[in-house]
Amino acid sequence: IASSDVRAPIVDDILDKDNKTLKLVAEMPGIEKNDIKITVEDKSVHISAENDKRKYKTKTPLKYKVDENSAKASYANGILEIRFTLAEEKPKGKQIAVD
């Protein structure tokens, strides 16, 4: 596959504040789920997939703080979905009790 044949899928991010989840959705038709590699690094998600006919590669910045260990990915009908749980925002500062 020539490097000019590499496609960058469009990745949508869908924030669900009620369920505290972030979902990334990428359209990558023509590949199998075992062709897909996903890594989370430096507040971005790297997605690549390759087989004999197609090659996809993209890097998507994470706009929200997520728990990287919560990541779950699924692929069906040419659509890759990656779900993250949002990281708990820790309040800044510390409250001190008065004795």
Side-chain angles (χ1 to χ4, degrees), residues 4 12 24 49 51-54 58 70 74-75 81 86 91 94 97 99:
S4 60
D12 291 321
L24 300 181
N51 64 16
D52 302 343
K53 300 176 190 79
R54 306 253 167 121
T58 188
S70 71
S74 60
Y75 180 74
E81 285 189 10
L86 294 179
K94 182 178 191 233
D99 294 332

Side-chain angles (χ1 to χ4, degrees), residues 11-28:
V11 180
D12 291 321
D13 55 1
I14 302 156
L15 180 66
D16 182 341
K17 285 185 178 168
D18 296 335
N19 292 316
K20 294 187 172 61
T21 58
L22 175 67
K23 183 164 64 171
L24 300 181
V25 180
E27 289 185 40
M28 302 193 320

